[in-house]
Amino acid sequence: MTPASLLRVARVLHGTTAEGPGLRTAIWFQGCSIRCRGCINPHLFSAHGGTQLTAASIIGDALASGVEGLTLIGGEPFDQPDAGRALAEAAHAQNLGVIAFSGYEYETLRDRDQPTRAFLAEVDLLVDGPYQDWNPETERALVGSENQRFIHLTDRYQNYRPELARNRIDIRLRPDGTIEVAGFLDSDGLMDLGDATATKRTHRRA
Ligand code: SF4
């Protein structure tokens, strides 16, 4: 069993622009009890995978990478309320912002137990609701279905307009030759990416 002070995470990515406004550290929580049909991260469903990290180690690396804040995604961050709260609290202590995605709706989290409410109290912007594969989002960045809401719990991200933002993708080549990808693209973004790579290929041949 994971001690409450440790986070069980699938992945941490520092310095990404693909998971919210500005430069961010994205943390994928391991484990999701919601299990939406069509979820793109079914490998994060199990609460027993991933690795265990302390909030202090994540915050230290986040500060070193010069990010504005954290994005907590998953998996389901609110399935680890104590560890999530400790991470968000440590982030705010260093003036880092906190955006959290949850498959639960705000009202459900607000009416839950004290650890959940304490975690929620450390979130600046909550993106809530389960993914509905029958109800795809076509206008707003960061969300996959139209039911998902951007709920500002503080004014830190009040100027962020998902309807004006574009989805971004972050592709990194690791030293071992494997590729790390974050974010996702809509069809326009995929076409732009295709055009860009086609242009590069053309230039290489010239
Ligand atoms: S809440 Fe998120 S991680 Fe969990 S199943 Fe739904 S989309 Fe996937």
Side-chain angles (χ1 to χ4, degrees):
M1 191 171 172
T2 303
S5 56
L6 287 175
L7 292 128
R8 186 172 284 279
V9 304
R11 183 180 166 204
V12 179
L13 184 66
H14 297 287
T16 184
T17 57
E19 303 293 349
L23 201 62
R24 315 197 66 76
T25 288
I27 299 113
W28 284 264
F29 283 56
Q30 180 69 41
C32 180
S33 56
I34 301 176
R35 306 193 174 192
C36 312
R37 190 181 74 187
C39 170
I40 59 169
N41 288 325
H43 56 293
L44 303 186
F45 286 177
S46 170
H48 302 293
T51 55
Q52 292 176 280
L53 295 175
T54 63
S57 71
I58 295 172
I59 295 299
D61 291 343
L63 291 172
S65 65
V67 300
E68 184 279 332
L70 310 185
T71 298
L72 315 183
I73 43 182
E76 173 52 52
F78 284 88
D79 282 354
Q80 299 182 56
D82 290 320
R85 190 260 313 143
L87 178 64
E89 210 170 64
H92 279 148
Q94 298 294 334
N95 196 31
L96 297 171
V98 178
I99 298 175
F101 286 73
S102 177
Y104 294 105
E105 292 182 340
Y106 167 70
E107 293 78 3
T108 301
L109 297 172
R110 183 196 59 194
D111 296 341
R112 253 195 188 175
D113 53 13
Q114 195 278 333
T116 300
R117 292 197 302 275
F119 184 7
L120 201 57
E122 293 291 340
V123 172
D124 295 299
L125 171 60
L126 177 75
V127 186
D128 82 338
Y131 172 62
Q132 298 176 343
D133 64 353
W134 67 92
N135 186 20
E137 174 64 54
T138 57
E139 300 295 330
R140 299 173 301 160
L142 298 181
V143 288
S145 55
E146 284 190 354
N147 62 301
Q148 293 169 313
R149 301 176 296 178
F150 289 77
I151 299 178
H152 294 272
L153 301 176
T154 72
D155 60 7
R156 182 157 183 143
Y157 296 106
Q158 64 179 347
N159 294 326
Y160 179 66
R161 296 280 179 272
E163 67 277 14
L164 300 179
R166 287 194 71 180
N167 283 319
R168 303 171 70 99
I169 197 163
D170 186 337
I171 303 174
R172 301 184 189 187
L173 183 61
R174 293 195 189 107
D176 65 2
T178 58
I179 290 176
E180 186 170 25
V181 180
F184 62 93
L185 293 177
D186 51 24
S187 53
D188 285 348
L190 282 171
M191 285 176 68
D192 289 349
L193 182 64
D195 289 348
T197 54
T199 304
K200 270 201 170 148
R201 283 197 299 273
T202 304
H203 285 164
R204 282 206 188 110
R205 275 199 298 272

